[in-house]
Amino acid sequence: MEKLIITAAICGAEVTKEHNPAIPYTVEEIVREARSAMDAGASIIHLHVREDDGTPTQSKSRFKECISAIRNACPHAIIQPSTGGAVGMSNEERLQPVELQPEMATLDCGTVNFGGDEIFVNSENTIIEFAQKMLDLNIKPEIEVFDKGMIDTALRLHKKGLIAAPMHFNFVLGVNGGISATLRDLTFLQGSIPAGSTFTVSGIGRAQFQMAAAAIITGGHVRVGFEDNIYMQKGVLASSNGELVAKAVRLARELGRNVASPAQAREILGLTAK
Ligand code: KMH
Ligand code: ZN
């Protein structure tokens, strides 16, 4: 089986220090968390950034500052900025980090309820605009899938030449409003993507490590990190993203799957370091 790529979603846009005091806001904290994840075995840093007070931002200059500081500390990391940002941001705001021409960026392929009154809006025209921009800038999209129809949308865009093959998907399971974190639904998603594609699995909350184990044994890749889950186990907060990555590495070892280095991850994903 292909080596396992571990992505660390170190920050997110929604979780706060009130949930877990280790959530990073400042550049220094973001670097601390990226380094802990890379040292533990991650290859990809899925990156959201914040103002120093924790407010989520998609500011190009804040991303530039954080990316360059992460690169200094972890020169091999694959840095994958979010173009999802936070609920309610405009397309223009959300797209700013792609102007920095990262190797990868996220491409959210549909609208989803996020619980309560929160709706994460991605109209078809938005998805087309974002896909075209990434194609023009030679950025590999990670196709974010919160529900099965989002795969179908990505496949339609692929047919129109807006997303290149081989495609890379992130199955996010367990968001309130999205597909559930069950083996049945994960299998359904896995069976719905074209041969030759790669996929990562992000289980939300307590499903993080159950879904990670399922991904490890079925040839998928794994995302862990504070964006999706802040606990090591019920009632025990993780002290760092590195702790969560280390648990994914232990699972992989126990299940007989080797973990990819960043160079191996680039090879698997067909990336050329920029
Ligand atoms: N924070 C969510 C609204 C992404 O990174 O592309 C969107 C999100 C997905 O996290
Ligand atoms: Zn994200």
Side-chain angles (χ1 to χ4, degrees), residues 9 12-13 46 48 82 85 106 144 223 227:
H46 168 68
H48 289 253
S82 167
T106 58
E144 306 301 304
R223 178 170 115 172
E227 179 167 345

Side-chain angles (χ1 to χ4, degrees), residues 193-223:
I193 59 174
S197 306
T198 47
F199 68 93
T200 293
V201 176
S202 304
I204 301 299
R206 72 178 73 112
Q208 181 154 87
F209 290 102
Q210 294 159 2
M211 292 295 106
I216 291 166
I217 60 176
T218 54
H221 301 284
V222 165
R223 178 170 115 172

Side-chain angles (χ1 to χ4, degrees), residues 61-212:
S61 61
R62 187 64 163 188
F63 263 100
K64 191 171 180 186
E65 198 182 357
C66 288
I67 290 173
S68 115
I70 294 173
R71 284 222 180 100
N72 275 340
C74 320
H76 304 296
I78 299 167
I79 302 174
Q80 178 200 82
S82 167
T83 68
V87 167
M89 287 179 172
S90 69
N91 290 1
E92 204 185 1
E93 259 180 296
R94 285 169 52 184
L95 265 176
Q96 291 177 76
V98 301
E99 289 161 28
L100 301 167
Q101 302 202 17
E103 290 173 83
M104 298 183 87
T106 58
L107 177 62
D108 293 279
C109 276
T111 295
V112 63
N113 279 344
F114 261 19
D117 287 328
E118 303 275 279
I119 308 172
F120 180 37
V121 177
N122 293 281
S123 71
E124 175 138 315
N125 285 344
T126 294
I127 305 164
I128 289 171
E129 179 190 351
F130 282 37
Q132 183 68 62
K133 189 89 181 177
M134 291 184 210
L135 197 63
D136 293 346
L137 295 171
N138 191 28
I139 298 166
K140 177 147 182 155
E142 178 180 87
I143 299 159
E144 306 301 304
V145 173
F146 295 86
D147 231 328
K148 155 65 164 64
M150 300 186 192
I151 295 178
D152 303 323
T153 298
L155 297 185
R156 273 189 287 115
L157 265 51
H158 166 62
K159 270 201 189 130
K160 290 183 181 165
L162 285 160
I163 303 177
M167 286 178 277
H168 177 65
F169 296 84
N170 176 27
F171 300 149
V172 185
L173 299 109
V175 166
N176 286 337
I179 198 162
S180 66
T182 60
L183 281 179
R184 180 198 62 177
D185 286 351
L186 176 58
T187 307
F188 179 42
L189 298 181
Q190 284 177 246
S192 305
I193 59 174
S197 306
T198 47
F199 68 93
T200 293
V201 176
S202 304
I204 301 299
R206 72 178 73 112
Q208 181 154 87
F209 290 102
Q210 294 159 2
M211 292 295 106

